[in-house]
């Protein structure tokens, strides 16, 4: 009797099963294939790659825009009338979508690396299409609603340029394994040359990218400007209700150099602090005056305004996720806040010897103070005893009259005008959004002409550090407690140090890539030189010739197993 041995033994390949199973729902061995991917599946790979790149840009945008989440929510409030923190849902969805698409992208690259045919499962195709379309819709919506925020990406790219360069260099170096395998595997010389030239071109661009990187913190420490002063924008609105006495007190506890507020004139001529056009968001006007809750804030008298509560909304909406960390005493203080008069804020500033900056909103036509609104505010400032040199006066209305009455005011412009126009108007300070100026503007336009610059709204340490390195004199912040913990720029590197890191990174990357290509060439050549007949023969377990002859001569022997 002859015992047959199998010619082929299958080994369980758990990693390969998971790879093809998760990506294409091909869990069985017979469903796998080393054939070339179809044009349809190649098209889906391109769609997956484009979705990955788009989601990467979308995620980077929301990371950069973290400084302005409150501004985005306020824009949505002005459109819908309801305050919600929409950024939580957007960021969570973006993170989940990017993680999912990035995982599929890694699986697709692994398919290519092991020579498996691409076959994306229909459910993945549906979800990738949904992610692509929703991201495109989000980009269009943001461009219409919040188009100015795109400049933030430029600032963040400049600020994080050296680190992004090293990360991109590491990523393209790891792709060398995949590219080398494809170059060696492809039989057509034209395809090999095209793939290799494309990869080498991308590497060359990354190797030379530092020549175009102009990060503001790439400088010698000797050239670093003094630490920018911090102004509490509406007090400290991330710690207490905005534009309230408690908010300004909290800001002063964080050692701010100035207080900033929004001023509105009441029906009887009392300047009070309110950001919104109406009182719905930050007071309980809907409870006390339900029929007037949509009216303008300036249509109320001070007697009516003084009855409103301006703190309970903060506990209810919790706009900055901080209420849970408050003590019962702090919650009681917040709940008892009322609408704050300009006079109260000025008295607090005088006691603390800090500067003041406020923005006036002109009452509508037909309002009793429509003409005298500037004079009403000016008289309150003069009566408060605030030193004129500490008042940053921003309204352009009747600026010449104000200059005659209070010549010591620091005349401040909220528009980006030419230095000649600013000097002609006698303006010594400008107050602009942080993405309205460039580094060259700060160093060669404003600083060269002795113009002080205050930028708003700066809440993130990385942005504060970048502006610090750019030479900004002061910033306005919603989170002075965060910037207080930034005694030095987040990172500061001399050009010589970065040049050394740049050259070493390029050399290490180039050495790794050369090593990968050599190893892949050696490995593939070893596989190709192996005789297929030897593979078939080695799979069969053969008996020695002596055992075979013994079985034929003595088939009935009890000591012989045939």
């Amino acid at each position: 009797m002859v015992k047959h041995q199998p010619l082929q033994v299958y080994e369980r390949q758990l990693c390969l099963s998971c790879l093809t199973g998760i990506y294409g729902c091909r869990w069985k061995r017979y469903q796998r294939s080393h054939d070339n991917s179809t044009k349809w599946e190649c098209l889906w790979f391109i769609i997956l790659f484009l979705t990955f790149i788009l989601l990467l840009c979308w995620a980077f945008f929301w990371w950069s825009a973290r400084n302005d989440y409150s501004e985005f929510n306020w824009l949505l409030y002005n459109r819908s009338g309801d305050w919600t923190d929409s950024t939580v849902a957007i960021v969570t969805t973006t993170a989940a979508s990017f993680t999912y698409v990035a995982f599929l992208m890694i699986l697709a690259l692994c398919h290519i690396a092991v020579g498996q045919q691409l076959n994306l499962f229909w459910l993945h195709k549906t979800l990738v299409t949904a992610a692509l379309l929703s991201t495109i819709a989000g980009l269009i919506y943001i461009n219409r609603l919040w188009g100015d925020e795109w400049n933030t990406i430029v600032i963040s790219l400049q600020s994080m340029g050296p680190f992004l360069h090293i990360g991109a260099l590491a990523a393209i170096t790891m792709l060398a394994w995949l590219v080398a395998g494809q170059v060696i595997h492809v039989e057509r010389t034209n395809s090999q040359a095209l793939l290799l030239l494309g990869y080498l071109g991308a590497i060359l661009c990354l190797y030379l990218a530092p020549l175009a990187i102009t990060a503001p913190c790439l400088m010698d420490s000797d050239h670093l400007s003094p630490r920018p002063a911090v102004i509490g924008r509406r007090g400290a609105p991330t710690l207490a209700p905005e534009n309230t006495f408690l908010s300004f007190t909290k800001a002063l506890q964080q050692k701010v150099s100035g207080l900033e507020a929004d001023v509105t004139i009441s029906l009887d001529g009392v300047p009070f602090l309110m950001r919104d056009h109406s009182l719905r968001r930050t007071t309980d006007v809907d409870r006390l005056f339900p029929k007037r809750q949509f009216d303008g804030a300036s249509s109320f008298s001070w007697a009516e305004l003084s009855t409103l509560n301006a703190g309970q909304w903060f506990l209810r909406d919790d706009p900055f996720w901080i209420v849970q960390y408050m003590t019962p005493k702090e919650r009681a203080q917040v709940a008892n806040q009322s609408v704050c008069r300009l006079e109260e804020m000025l008295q607090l500033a005088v006691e603390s010897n800090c500067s003041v900056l406020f923005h006036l909103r002109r009452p509508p036509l037909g309002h009793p103070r429509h003409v005298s609104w500037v004079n009403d505010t000016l008289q309150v400032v003069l009566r408060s005893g605030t030193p004129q040199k500490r008042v940053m006066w921003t309204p352009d209305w009747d600026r010449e009259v104000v200059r005659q009455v209070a010549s010591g005011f620091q005349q401040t412009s909220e528009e980006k005008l030419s230095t000649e126009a600013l000097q002609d108007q006698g303006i010594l300070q400008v107050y602009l959004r942080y993405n309205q100026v460039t580094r060259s503007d700060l160093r060669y336009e404003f600083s060269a002409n002795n113009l002080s610059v205050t930028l708003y709204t700066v809440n993130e340490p990385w942005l504060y550090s970048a502006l610090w390195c750019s030479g900004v004199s002061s910033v306005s912040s919603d989170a002075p407690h965060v910037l207080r913990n930034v005694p030095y720029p987040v990172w500061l590197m001399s050009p010589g140090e970065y040049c050394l890191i740049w050259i070493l990174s390029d050399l290490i990357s180039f050495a790794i890539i050369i090593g990968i290509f050599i190893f892949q060439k050696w490995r593939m050549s070893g596989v190709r030189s192996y005789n297929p007949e030897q593979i078939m023969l080695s799979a069969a377990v053969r008996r020695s010739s002596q055992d075979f002859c013994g079985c034929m001569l003595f088939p009935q022997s009890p000591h012989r197993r045939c």
Side-chain angles (χ1 to χ4, degrees):
M1 180 178 179
V2 180
K3 185 176 181 181
H4 299 282
Q5 296 292 338
L7 295 178
Q8 186 175 3
V9 178
Y10 290 109
E11 296 180 358
R12 293 185 178 181
Q13 298 175 311
L14 181 60
C15 291
L16 188 59
S17 298
C18 293
L19 187 68
T20 58
I22 297 174
Y23 186 81
C25 199
R26 296 183 296 175
W27 298 96
K28 304 298 182 181
R29 183 178 289 105
Y30 68 87
Q31 293 175 326
R32 302 171 193 162
S33 175
H34 286 278
D35 296 336
N36 293 331
S37 302
T38 63
K39 293 182 179 180
W40 175 248
E41 290 300 329
C42 291
L43 176 62
W44 270 108
F45 175 77
I46 296 175
I47 294 175
L48 178 63
F49 176 74
L50 293 177
T51 305
F52 169 77
I53 296 298
L54 198 62
L55 275 171
L56 179 63
C57 298
W58 182 244
F60 185 77
F61 168 80
W62 283 106
W63 177 86
S64 303
R66 184 179 177 182
N67 181 83
D68 304 319
Y69 282 176
S70 178
E71 177 185 339
F72 178 73
N73 291 328
W74 190 70
L75 289 175
L76 293 181
Y77 166 76
N78 288 333
R79 284 181 167 245
S80 64
D82 296 322
W83 178 269
T84 56
D85 194 352
S86 303
T87 57
V88 175
I90 294 175
V91 172
T92 302
T93 305
T94 300
S97 301
F98 176 74
T99 303
Y100 170 70
V101 173
F103 180 63
L104 289 181
M105 192 67 197
I106 294 174
L107 292 179
L109 294 177
C110 291
H111 271 71
I112 298 174
V114 299
Q116 283 290 320
Q117 186 184 50
L118 293 173
N119 186 19
L120 187 62
F121 189 48
W122 66 267
L123 181 59
H124 292 323
K125 293 177 180 178
T126 303
L127 295 177
V128 168
T129 303
L132 177 62
L133 295 178
S134 61
T135 305
I136 293 175
L139 288 170
I140 296 174
Y141 180 74
I142 289 297
N143 187 60
R144 292 181 178 179
L145 177 67
W146 208 21
D148 294 340
E149 195 67 16
W150 295 119
N151 295 331
T152 305
I153 294 185
V154 178
I155 298 175
S156 59
L157 286 174
Q158 291 177 344
S159 178
M160 304 298 176
F163 305 99
L164 294 176
H165 166 250
I166 295 176
L169 194 61
I172 201 167
T173 302
M174 290 188 293
L175 283 178
W177 182 273
L178 179 62
V179 174
Q182 292 301 306
V183 169
I184 298 172
H185 178 73
V186 173
E187 297 180 355
R188 296 181 179 179
T189 307
N190 294 336
S191 300
Q192 287 180 332
L194 184 62
L195 182 60
L196 189 59
L197 288 176
Y199 182 69
L200 292 178
I203 291 176
L204 184 61
C205 290
L206 275 179
Y207 284 174
L208 300 179
L211 296 175
I213 293 177
T214 57
C217 289
L218 276 178
M219 60 185 303
D220 294 322
S221 57
D222 298 338
H223 299 157
L224 183 64
S225 303
R227 185 176 185 272
V230 178
I231 298 175
R233 184 175 171 88
R234 305 180 186 96
T238 57
L239 300 177
E242 63 184 47
N243 282 326
T244 60
F245 188 83
L246 179 62
S247 180
F248 295 116
T249 303
K250 293 281 188 181
L252 292 173
Q253 292 174 356
Q254 304 304 322
K255 308 299 181 182
V256 297
S257 63
L259 300 176
E260 177 185 348
D262 306 283
V263 181
T264 302
I265 307 298
S266 69
L267 195 64
D268 48 352
V270 178
F272 66 98
L273 310 183
M274 184 63 55
R275 178 189 187 187
D276 299 351
H277 173 73
S278 68
L279 304 170
R280 292 182 64 246
R281 183 175 66 91
T282 58
T283 68
D284 58 347
V285 65
D286 57 339
R287 183 179 63 85
L288 297 181
F289 305 98
K291 295 182 179 180
R292 301 175 59 191
Q293 58 178 313
F294 295 98
D295 294 351
S298 59
S299 64
F300 291 79
S301 65
W302 177 246
E304 295 171 331
L305 292 168
S306 60
T307 62
L308 298 175
N309 184 287
Q312 292 179 353
W313 72 274
F314 191 85
L315 300 176
R316 181 187 68 245
D317 297 340
D318 195 9
F320 299 100
W321 306 81
I322 198 174
V323 174
Q324 58 181 330
Y325 303 107
M326 290 183 174
T327 63
K329 181 179 179 181
E330 291 174 335
R331 295 186 183 186
Q333 288 180 332
V334 170
N336 291 328
Q337 293 302 301
S338 57
V339 178
C340 184
R341 292 180 299 165
L342 174 61
E343 184 179 0
E344 295 178 89
M345 187 204 76
L346 294 174
Q347 291 176 354
L348 194 61
V350 170
E351 295 173 0
S352 304
N353 195 28
C354 66
S355 302
V356 292
L357 187 155
F358 37 82
H359 314 279
L360 288 105
R361 180 182 296 111
R362 187 178 188 181
L365 191 64
H367 191 278
R369 304 291 174 171
H370 179 73
V371 177
S372 62
W373 61 295
V374 171
N375 186 63
D376 292 337
T377 306
L378 180 60
Q379 294 304 319
V380 171
V381 175
L382 295 177
R383 289 198 305 266
S384 67
T386 305
Q388 293 188 9
K389 64 179 181 179
R390 294 193 174 276
V391 177
M392 299 172 64
W393 186 265
T394 60
D396 288 327
W397 191 268
D398 289 342
R399 190 181 288 273
E400 291 299 327
V401 176
V402 174
R403 185 180 283 112
Q404 294 176 2
V405 177
S407 58
F409 282 3
Q410 301 296 312
Q411 297 296 326
T412 306
S413 173
E414 294 183 288
E415 297 183 15
K416 186 180 179 181
L417 304 175
S418 63
T419 55
E420 293 78 8
L422 294 173
Q423 291 174 347
D424 292 341
Q425 298 178 24
I427 295 176
L428 301 178
Q429 298 192 34
V430 290
Y431 179 83
L432 303 170
R433 197 171 190 268
Y434 67 87
N435 59 3
Q436 288 183 302
V437 296
T438 62
R439 189 182 181 187
S440 60
D441 292 336
L442 293 171
R443 291 192 175 273
Y444 305 112
E445 288 291 331
F446 299 115
S447 179
N449 291 277
N450 296 323
L451 292 172
S452 178
V453 180
T454 300
L455 300 182
Y456 69 93
T457 309
V458 181
N459 300 323
E460 292 294 315
W462 72 266
L463 180 59
Y464 181 67
S465 301
L467 297 177
W468 183 350
C469 295
S470 298
V472 174
S473 56
S474 61
V475 300
S476 180
S477 175
D478 290 335
H481 64 289
V482 174
L483 302 189
R484 184 183 180 183
N485 297 324
V486 187
Y488 201 72
V490 174
W491 69 272
L492 186 66
M493 190 184 306
S494 67
E497 292 174 343
Y498 180 57
C499 184
L500 179 61
I501 295 175
W502 165 30
I503 295 175
L504 287 177
S505 300
D506 288 354
L507 291 177
I508 293 173
S509 172
F510 184 74
I512 293 175
I513 291 173
I514 293 298
I516 289 175
F517 269 81
I518 293 175
F519 178 77
Q520 284 281 57
K521 179 66 175 177
W522 171 80
R523 187 175 68 91
M524 296 299 292
S525 62
V527 172
R528 289 181 178 180
S529 63
Y530 200 80
N531 190 350
E533 294 183 358
Q534 295 178 355
I535 300 176
M536 297 177 62
L537 293 175
S538 63
V541 180
R542 295 170 297 173
R543 302 295 182 91
S544 65
S545 57
Q546 182 179 358
D547 291 342
F548 180 79
C549 294
C551 287
M552 295 299 294
L553 292 175
F554 306 100
Q556 303 299 329
S557 175
H559 301 288
R560 181 68 60 185
R561 298 179 60 188
C562 298

